[in-house]
Amino acid sequence: MVREADAGSYLYWSERRVDEIASDNGVTWDSQLSWTLKAAPQGVGAEVGNRERAGLTRREKARKIERAIGDQAVSAFSSPPPARFAKGVGQVHIARFIGGPERDKGAVLHVRTSSIQGRQVDLVLFGSLDSFPGHPFRPSDAPAAGWFSSAWYAIAELLESRGTRNTSQWDDPESLSVEALHMALNQGSEHPGTDHEEPWTRGLTLAHAHDCEWFAQIYTDVELTQSRWDFRDNRRGADRILIGAPVWVRTASPDSVTRYAELRRAAGRRPRRLLSLRGSRRRSAS
């Protein structure tokens, strides 16, 4: 588990979103005063103090954001929806999102956790490949192959409107949230609807990282009507789905990241063609 005192690195960091949240919540990036020693002209070995202004580190900015947001960032998922922010520690799966405002630079992160009552909680977070500062990913690392949902345009609309607009055929929060989760779990599959494929064997998938601290801004947050959905590709079944954007992901060490491009090269796998776009049929007959 990543703790505040542990050394770590930021796998994902959205400077734009951090600054926006800070501005919206009265957080200022006041510079820190530091002292440095410099040689003085009086002679060898003589030194004087010099006050310099140093910018805040990512870790310092993250702590200020967390303090300002406080209990608005849910972690136990014990309170009912909607949440505005969420945070936690655990494994993060990373893939490409080839639709939406980022186009070839889009990324989707999936986090699975549980509430303190033991209910399954899934977060589907959409960001940018440009926000992986220390561990850059390229579109070529994850070939556009296998199945991809035609709901990408509905998800793009949700992201662009930050959850305020939905003019698609997935016209209620539950159905669009289920489709987003289905995409996160199954995009790139040869046979969508199965759950036996390893993520690295699918197209569009990039990596996973364990022991991560993550913080997210949430656009939609729904508890599912269990009798309505048939999760054949998700045997445990989601109870709650949150869709939003990652703000940061911090790993314990570079070894925390498993890159699928390396696994594919080692296995000699070739990209498959991208299957025709089509929506999944997730709604039950009832």
Side-chain angles (χ1 to χ4, degrees):
M1 178 179 292
V2 179
R3 298 179 300 276
E4 185 170 305
D6 289 340
S9 62
Y10 282 91
L11 172 63
Y12 188 95
W13 179 268
S14 174
E15 192 71 42
R16 178 184 64 82
R17 198 166 296 279
V18 165
D19 286 343
E20 182 181 272
I21 294 171
S23 178
D24 289 345
N25 292 275
V27 178
T28 59
W29 304 141
D30 293 330
S31 298
Q32 303 293 304
L33 291 176
S34 62
W35 286 91
T36 60
L37 296 177
K38 294 184 178 180
Q42 290 90 334
V44 177
E47 296 176 319
V48 295
N50 181 43
R51 288 177 64 180
E52 294 184 346
R53 289 196 173 273
L56 295 181
T57 66
R58 289 175 181 152
R59 191 60 171 154
E60 289 167 337
K61 288 183 177 182
R63 287 171 176 161
K64 288 191 116 183
I65 290 288
E66 289 196 79
R67 284 196 296 267
I69 297 301
D71 292 341
Q72 292 184 73
V74 301
S75 57
F77 299 97
S78 56
S79 57
R84 291 186 58 210
F85 298 93
K87 64 181 180 179
V89 177
Q91 184 163 279
V92 176
H93 288 265
I94 306 159
R96 291 175 59 195
F97 177 51
I98 59 176
E102 292 286 350
R103 303 301 175 188
D104 278 346
K105 290 301 184 90
V108 56
L109 285 67
H110 173 238
V111 176
R112 175 163 290 171
T113 185
S114 60
S115 69
I116 59 173
Q117 295 90 357
R119 303 177 68 198
Q120 181 176 308
V121 179
D122 286 271
L123 295 95
V124 186
L125 309 172
F126 295 88
S128 172
L129 291 181
D130 289 334
S131 295
F132 291 92
H135 305 268
F137 294 107
R138 301 167 298 175
S140 59
D141 292 335
W147 173 85
F148 189 75
S149 172
S150 60
W152 68 265
Y153 71 91
I155 294 171
E157 180 183 52
L158 180 148
L159 301 177
E160 290 170 348
S161 69
R162 301 201 171 191
T164 63
R165 188 172 64 253
N166 181 2
T167 61
S168 72
Q169 69 188 70
W170 298 274
D171 55 1
D172 69 277
E174 282 195 42
S175 60
L176 187 53
S177 296
V178 168
E179 192 63 29
L181 178 58
H182 182 45
M183 179 187 295
L185 294 175
N186 292 284
Q187 69 167 355
S189 297
E190 289 186 356
H191 306 289
T194 62
D195 63 356
H196 62 274
E197 293 178 283
E198 293 291 338
W200 69 270
T201 66
R202 309 195 320 252
L204 299 168
T205 57
L206 286 162
H208 72 259
H210 61 270
D211 290 341
C212 294
E213 290 180 8
W214 52 266
F215 189 93
Q217 187 172 19
I218 304 304
Y219 299 154
T220 67
D221 177 6
V222 297
E223 291 182 336
L224 300 183
T225 305
Q226 291 300 306
S227 60
R228 183 179 175 186
W229 305 104
D230 177 15
F231 287 101
R232 294 176 183 173
D233 59 342
N234 183 11
R235 290 176 180 172
R236 288 180 55 197
D239 291 297
R240 183 172 178 176
I241 302 174
L242 297 88
I243 300 176
V247 182
W248 65 74
V249 176
R250 185 173 182 265
T251 64
S253 71
D255 294 338
S256 301
V257 182
T258 299
R259 303 175 73 95
Y260 297 157
E262 297 173 2
L263 297 181
R264 293 183 182 111
R265 282 194 293 271
R269 292 184 65 91
R270 296 181 178 179
R272 304 180 300 272
R273 66 182 180 88
L274 186 68
L275 300 182
S276 58
L277 300 181
R278 55 189 175 88
S280 61
R281 295 288 181 252
R282 311 306 303 153
R283 185 173 299 183
S284 66
S286 58

